[in-house]
Amino acid sequence: MTAGHLFRAAFATATTAALLAAASTVAPAQVPATRAAVPDTALTLDPAVRRGTLPNGLQYLIRHARKPEHRAELRLVVRVGSVHEDADQQGLAHFVEHMAFNGTRNFRRHELRDYLELVGMKFGAHLNAYTSFDETVYMLTIPTDSAPLLETGVQILEDWAHGITFEADEVEAERGVVLGEWRGRLGADDRTFRAHFPTLMRDSKYAERLPIGTPAHIEHAPREALLRFYRDWYRADLMTVVAVGDFDVDAMEARLRRHFSRLARPTAARPRPRVAVPLTHGTLVSTTADEEATASIVSVAVKVANAEGVATSGGYRARIIAAMFENMLNSRLAEVADKPGAPYLGAGYSLSPLVEPVELATLSARVRDNDFVAALRAMVREMARVAQHGFTPGELAREKASQMRRGEQLYLERDNILAGTTAHKLTRMALTGAPLLDTEASVVTARRLMSSITAEDLQREAARWLEARPRVVMTTATQRGTGRSGPTEAQLLAAFAEARAATVAAYVEPDLNAPLLSTAPAPGTIVETTVHASVGVTEWLLSNGARVFLKPTDYRADEVLISASSPGGIQMASDSDFATAALVNELQGASGFGSYNARQLGRRIAGKIIDVRQTVQQLNEEWLGRSSRRDLPTTLELLYLMFTQAREDSSAMVASAEKLRSAMIEHAAGPVLAFQDTIRAVMAQYHHRAPTPSPALLDRVRFARVPTFFRERFSNGGDFTFTFVGAFAVEDIKPLVLQYIGGLPSTGTRETTPDVRIPPPPGTVRRTMQLGREPQTYTAIAFHGAIGGGSEEWFDVTALTEVLKLRLTQRIREDLAGSYGVQVQTNVSYLPGGNSYGTTIVFIADPARREELTAATFAVIDSLRTVGPTEQEVAKVRSQFLRQNETARLTNEMWTQLGQLRDRGWSFDLLLDDSRPQGMTVESVRQSARRFLDTTQYAHFVLEPSPGSGSQP
């Protein structure tokens, strides 16, 4: 349950990480006129979507979906959000959403969550909601293999629509949970957001209605104010029910009509206003600085009328152009940052919905050493370069090929589109009016429109952006680095105007015509074949020693997943090389392979469905790939290239090191990041082979050894295990496997995982840090110890983790209203010197309640150790495991674990075995708690606000 879900996603892109938009005042660029306009026709709704409107005004959208089997995605879309609150209701739209899970006409208090968990659904993953400025959406995943389950799912949606009870004691209890959500958002990012948002939303009610609300309203708003919001706005004419899944559409329509016809037809209803955002001002500037900010950012955001509700071919064409422009400009911007001494560390452009009437076209850069002016000039000059010269024919051809190829794959996978994906699109349709096209019509229309898109269309996008108003220039300074003071408003405006008006040279595209491989490798042979008939897996041992598992599936029509792993990893490095090895992925990453650096290589394979990643992990090296069937030959060419021809590019390495150093310096400013670093260091007892990334670590890197160490880790192809899963026939891909995997060089030897023993601290350890200025305390409790290598023990600790999560959520969130949520996570490490586990509990709370909630956490642990869980808790976790297995087994991702299972000596049949969850008992979980939650062997970490920070809720 979140507040501001969609808005924050858009705004985060505009104000942090890799970042968005810019504008000011200058003369229009000269752009050639477009060719004759394409006829603008209405788009037609997918005929498989059943659409209807009840007499009371409620609408519904229904569609059948095959995947996943035996599941339905249900949504209640209410077109009201925080912007519709009265002055005394700030945050109550979101509060109402919370109350939907705390008692309805047919589900008292926590009966709703209990019921859904008992049928195998998880709170958060399958039962959730969000509140934004303009809408509130409730989301429910429900099994469909039982008519009563589906009936109950629809009943839940009906209860949310007009049956929330708002019992007085539940309202009071939930205040603490909502405050916990507010508290969890606090920090530099939130402060930055609040500093810039009033300027972005100048003269609009949106500036005064953040979905999370204010602590004062959350704590003190009367129950009547909640009821008033619910009565005013939760009404049939503002609601759409979305149902997508593996069910009979006629039967589902009958259910919806029966349940939702019970809602009264609104009379004398308050009109739903479309709140305006003025688009008449010129250039505004907003600057802020924060000592805890982990990046310096400059952004220029152009506000434009929101056209998300595309209903015609002309609008669809405009969206395609916008998507192409975004991809092509971002490639140019990233290329600038790849060079040493670049004027920014990273930059990006995005067109993102902001609120119902407005979207942002944002150009942003991550600033080096607080030099905002240089970064602003550089990114705007790249926009001006496109406005003056356009994109090259090669850039346009590659982008069109990529767009077309993605459309082709979408068509091939039309019967495998997940219900959740379609439910999301229908939710957007309910909110914007844009019809959902059927897949074939979408692909055909896109292909037709794509052929009409010219280089001039894309050039015009840049010119329009440079001319557009209103715009907001935003800077966020870290208050560290060179000591430069932040730029003035005049300096920012002058830099923008200068860059926009500058005459720039045309972009020169690198040569991308060299083949990936100059010589094809000689194929190897199969020396041994094993068929694992029970799981449909073929295993080959190749002549170079490589082992290959092949699992053909029909879960996806056009997907092949490839994974490769070999023991070794970073820990194989000597002490003198360890810093080099620890940062090898970041430093080698941009260098590329063969004739191309990393960015050029991505362009070289444009128009193909290929995604690959190669990394050196702590204890192994990995190669992961995702490919379409058609592009599998190129994917395996890439695999061979990446194993054998890692490139040495000193310029790319220097640029990577500059980015790393800046990120490391900025990372240290974040209190939570510093807290996490402390936990890692303490749990590793400050071992020299478990260092925290820092400038000091970077200073110890031997750069000449970076490419050498990387190559060493992949030089012995015969030491790898490869797994292929997906849409292929074993005999059809045999020649490719023999050539590109069987042809890999091999030393004829096999490495073993290094015996690196970094033991956690013995006994009990307590550490308290005082950092940060917000009224929030982070508590982390980490249990650890040895564990056997069998699958039984892995399941035992995993099952215990799920039970512990259920119990702590009930106790800390629901009973005590002490935190928005409790995270519980377990990791198991399998090492030659002995296997180990770590189970960590984390929650955020009011500093005044830390000791109370910590005591409650240990009371839960003690109860599980002495009494065990309840029968209901065991039933919930058992059901969740079984439901999870139902869907996971029908995905390619699950079967990529074959190599991992072999390394652990576990049977492949475990992937089809439900005996473990079925055998769970109260006693088995109690015994696991006694073993894995050893209260004589744990670490307790606390992050508190700095003394005198003065922040109050």
Side-chain angles (χ1 to χ4, degrees):
M1 290 178 285
T2 58
H5 173 80
L6 293 176
F7 167 75
R8 283 184 176 273
F11 190 79
T13 321
T15 57
T16 58
L19 315 149
L20 310 175
S24 188
T25 49
V26 228
Q30 297 301 311
V31 182
T34 187
R35 66 167 69 175
V38 175
D40 195 11
T41 57
L43 298 176
T44 304
L45 177 66
D46 179 355
V49 174
R50 182 77 55 84
R51 176 166 58 177
T53 303
L54 300 180
N56 58 17
L58 183 139
Q59 300 180 49
Y60 57 80
L61 298 165
I62 310 170
R63 197 189 192 284
H64 179 264
R66 292 176 56 239
K67 299 290 181 74
E69 294 181 12
H70 309 308
R71 294 292 184 276
E73 295 287 343
L74 305 180
R75 306 284 186 267
L76 176 66
V77 182
V78 189
R79 292 192 302 112
V80 291
S82 60
V83 79
H84 303 107
E85 297 164 344
D86 295 331
D88 66 336
Q89 293 176 319
Q90 293 182 51
L92 298 198
H94 175 233
F95 204 140
V96 166
E97 173 221 305
H98 272 246
M99 293 308 301
F101 299 86
N102 286 275
T104 66
R105 194 171 295 144
N106 290 286
F107 296 91
R108 289 183 56 80
R109 203 162 187 265
H110 304 310
E111 289 177 355
L112 171 59
R113 201 183 79 195
D114 285 340
Y115 170 79
L116 290 169
E117 288 174 342
L118 282 167
V119 301
M121 301 295 100
K122 286 187 176 183
F123 187 62
H126 305 119
L127 172 67
N128 215 326
Y130 76 82
T131 302
S132 190
F133 287 95
D134 303 290
E135 76 261 11
T136 305
V137 178
Y138 297 86
M139 301 168 282
L140 175 62
T141 306
I142 200 80
T144 63
D145 50 3
S146 157
L149 287 178
L150 200 50
E151 182 71 19
T152 302
V154 175
Q155 180 64 67
I156 290 168
L157 258 65
E158 185 200 336
D159 274 23
W160 286 336
H162 69 153
I164 303 175
T165 53
F166 296 97
E167 294 177 17
D169 57 341
E170 289 298 313
V171 170
E172 294 309 309
E174 196 63 17
R175 293 186 197 276
V177 176
V178 180
L179 264 181
E181 184 174 351
W182 166 83
R183 194 181 309 279
R185 296 167 179 270
L186 299 177
D189 286 347
D190 183 69
R191 293 192 295 269
T192 297
F193 163 75
R194 290 172 183 271
H196 293 313
F197 189 63
T199 306
L200 276 171
M201 294 288 100
R202 181 171 173 175
D203 298 328
S204 172
K205 185 179 177 183
Y206 282 103
E208 305 162 1
R209 290 293 185 273
L210 296 184
I212 194 64
T214 69
H217 283 90
I218 294 168
E219 288 188 286
H220 304 299
R223 174 176 176 270
E224 178 52 40
L226 280 167
L227 284 169
R228 175 165 30 98
F229 187 89
Y230 189 62
R231 291 167 183 155
D232 283 349
W233 299 115
Y234 276 59
R235 58 184 204 243
D237 62 316
L238 296 179
M239 292 180 179
T240 302
V241 177
V242 173
V244 183
D246 187 13
F247 50 66
D248 178 85
V249 170
D250 290 337
M252 176 56 76
E253 182 177 32
R255 279 192 184 93
L256 297 186
R257 295 187 71 87
R258 183 173 68 254
H259 277 274
F260 288 94
S261 292
R262 298 168 183 164
L263 274 68
R265 182 176 182 84
T267 56
R270 288 180 67 173
R272 179 191 185 274
R274 183 174 173 87
V275 178
V277 177
L279 299 178
T280 53
H281 64 74
T283 302
L284 303 177
V285 175
S286 175
T287 62
T288 190
D290 198 297
E291 68 276 10
E292 295 174 8
T294 55
S296 291
I297 306 294
V298 58
S299 303
V300 190
V302 174
K303 296 193 288 189
V304 295
N306 194 340
E308 188 183 10
V310 173
T312 68
S313 59
Y316 194 6
R317 183 177 184 273
R319 282 294 170 184
I320 295 172
I321 291 172
M324 293 174 64
F325 178 78
E326 182 174 327
N327 293 338
M328 296 164 74
L329 179 59
N330 280 334
S331 181
R332 291 258 192 107
L333 291 164
E335 189 175 332
V336 172
D338 290 342
K339 298 178 177 64
Y344 50 70
L345 297 165
Y349 170 84
S350 178
L351 179 66
S352 304
L354 180 60
V355 292
E356 186 176 89
V358 167
E359 53 189 357
L360 292 182
T362 311
L363 189 63
S364 294
R366 185 172 175 183
V367 175
R368 179 195 299 275
D369 296 331
N370 276 352
D371 194 348
F372 294 92
V373 169
L376 177 60
R377 276 201 200 101
M379 66 181 184
V380 175
R381 281 171 66 92
E382 290 309 310
M383 184 71 80
R385 196 182 312 279
V386 178
Q388 291 173 28
H389 304 286
F391 293 103
T392 68
E395 288 175 299
L396 179 59
R398 284 195 302 274
E399 181 61 25
K400 281 193 173 186
S402 295
Q403 295 277 352
M404 293 287 213
R405 188 70 182 89
R406 284 192 288 269
E408 289 171 8
Q409 188 179 56
L410 180 65
Y411 178 74
L412 290 172
E413 298 288 5
R414 62 194 180 280
D415 293 330
N416 297 316
I417 297 172
L418 296 178
T421 301
T422 302
H424 173 73
K425 291 179 178 179
L426 288 177
T427 297
R428 300 317 303 165
M429 175 179 165
L431 293 168
T432 68
L436 174 69
L437 278 67
D438 76 271
T439 305
E440 183 174 0
S442 176
V443 171
V444 169
T445 302
R447 180 182 289 275
R448 175 175 61 84
L449 295 172
M450 190 81 65
S451 66
S452 74
I453 293 172
T454 67
E456 291 77 19
D457 289 321
L458 294 158
Q459 187 175 357
R460 188 175 295 101
E461 289 289 298
R464 257 199 300 262
W465 186 89
L466 288 169
E467 298 159 17
R469 293 183 189 80
R471 62 177 70 91
V472 180
V473 181
M474 297 172 285
T475 66
T476 300
T478 58
Q479 294 187 333
R480 295 180 306 282
T482 62
R484 284 191 187 93
S485 59
T488 65
E489 178 174 333
Q491 287 172 325
L492 291 169
L493 294 177
F496 179 85
E498 177 190 336
R500 179 180 179 274
T503 300
V504 292
Y507 174 75
V508 178
E509 189 169 31
D511 181 9
L512 301 175
N513 293 317
L516 292 178
L517 294 176
S518 55
T519 305
T525 60
I526 299 170
V527 298
E528 182 181 311
T529 299
T530 306
V531 176
H532 304 273
S534 61
V535 289
V537 172
T538 299
E539 177 183 351
W540 291 333
L541 178 63
L542 304 186
S543 52
N544 63 352
R547 192 171 298 274
V548 183
F549 294 107
L550 303 112
K551 168 67 177 175
T553 71
D554 59 2
Y555 309 141
R556 303 278 292 176
D558 192 35
E559 177 183 81
V560 180
L561 302 184
I562 309 166
S563 62
S565 180
S566 166
I570 291 169
Q571 297 295 347
M572 294 294 289
S574 65
D575 282 353
S576 61
D577 260 352
F578 191 76
T580 303
L583 298 175
V584 68
N585 297 313
E586 293 85 351
L587 294 173
Q588 178 64 28
S591 291
F593 303 89
S595 302
Y596 301 109
N597 66 32
R599 196 159 310 283
Q600 292 166 354
L601 191 61
R603 293 171 180 172
R604 175 66 176 74
I605 61 172
K608 299 182 183 297
I609 305 295
I610 298 175
D611 183 19
V612 296
R613 181 170 64 88
Q614 184 175 21
T615 56
V616 184
Q617 303 292 323
Q618 284 293 318
L619 299 171
N620 68 308
E621 34 275 348
E622 290 184 345
W623 190 94
L624 303 175
R626 183 185 299 266
S627 172
S628 68
R629 287 192 298 175
R630 182 203 301 179
D631 298 320
L632 191 55
T634 305
T635 305
L636 290 178
E637 271 193 87
L638 274 173
L639 183 149
Y640 185 87
L641 179 73
M642 295 169 77
F643 268 69
T644 60
Q645 297 183 41
R647 197 163 169 266
E648 186 170 348
D649 186 332
S650 58
S651 176
M653 204 178 305
V654 169
S656 295
E658 290 174 353
K659 294 176 188 177
L660 263 180
R661 186 176 299 278
S662 179
M664 289 168 172
I665 293 169
E666 292 169 340
H667 172 97
V672 178
L673 297 176
F675 181 56
Q676 292 168 347
D677 287 346
T678 298
I679 292 173
R680 283 190 290 267
V682 170
M683 295 306 291
Q685 299 194 76
Y686 299 92
H687 197 284
H688 67 284
R689 282 184 169 260
T692 298
S694 66
L697 181 68
L698 185 59
D699 289 340
R700 298 203 302 273
V701 169
R702 298 197 293 175
F703 284 86
R705 283 282 297 154
V706 170
T708 305
F709 182 80
F710 188 85
R711 292 186 194 115
E712 287 171 357
R713 293 296 82 226
F714 293 91
S715 62
N716 181 10
D719 194 30
F720 278 77
T721 297
F722 297 83
T723 302
F724 287 74
V725 182
F728 62 84
V730 171
E731 288 302 312
D732 289 347
I733 71 167
K734 182 189 289 186
L736 292 171
V737 172
L738 293 181
Q739 181 164 39
Y740 293 109
I741 294 178
L744 286 170
S746 173
T747 64
T749 61
R750 286 195 172 274
E751 290 180 333
T752 57
T753 302
D755 185 3
V756 179
R757 300 173 190 238
I758 305 177
T764 57
V765 174
R766 290 176 172 82
R767 292 283 190 281
T768 297
M769 296 177 65
Q770 294 182 324
L771 288 173
R773 47 192 268 204
E774 300 290 4
Q776 57 184 190
T777 292
Y778 282 74
T779 298
I781 302 167
F783 292 88
H784 55 85
I787 190 172
S791 60
E792 300 87 352
E793 288 184 272
W794 173 86
F795 178 79
D796 288 344
V797 73
T798 303
L800 172 64
T801 300
E802 295 304 313
V803 171
L804 184 59
K805 193 181 304 181
L806 279 177
R807 178 73 69 86
L808 285 173
T809 298
Q810 179 62 44
R811 184 62 182 148
I812 302 299
R813 173 181 166 129
E814 304 299 342
D815 295 345
L816 298 176
S819 178
Y820 179 58
V822 182
Q823 300 175 36
V824 185
Q825 183 175 350
T826 294
N827 293 310
V828 180
S829 299
Y830 296 90
L831 303 169
N835 307 320
S836 63
Y837 75 93
T839 297
T840 305
I841 301 162
V842 179
F843 58 85
I844 307 170
D846 182 343
R849 300 191 64 188
R850 173 176 63 82
E851 292 185 6
E852 171 202 356
L853 298 175
T854 299
T857 299
F858 277 97
V860 165
I861 291 167
D862 183 65
S863 174
L864 289 176
R865 285 170 51 85
T866 55
V867 181
T870 65
E871 292 283 0
Q872 186 183 67
E873 287 169 333
V874 171
K876 285 180 177 182
V877 172
R878 180 191 301 122
S879 181
Q880 288 168 359
F881 272 122
L882 294 174
R883 289 293 186 184
Q884 179 180 308
N885 290 347
E886 260 181 14
T887 54
R889 286 176 185 144
L890 300 178
T891 65
N892 289 329
E893 283 78 8
M894 192 196 77
W895 293 94
T896 60
Q897 301 173 68
L898 293 170
Q900 195 176 71
L901 293 176
R902 175 188 172 275
D903 291 344
R904 295 178 188 172
W906 297 0
S907 168
F908 293 163
D909 292 333
L910 285 171
L911 297 176
L912 300 175
D913 183 9
D914 283 335
S915 62
R916 299 277 159 70
Q918 288 169 341
M920 278 181 66
T921 65
V922 168
E923 182 58 20
S924 71
V925 176
R926 187 179 78 89
Q927 291 299 332
S928 294
R930 290 174 63 82
R931 177 173 180 187
F932 297 118
L933 299 176
D934 183 352
T935 51
T936 67
Q937 185 77 21
Y938 71 92
H940 183 185
F941 301 91
V942 174
L943 173 64
E944 294 184 329
S946 297
S949 60
S951 284
Q952 297 295 326

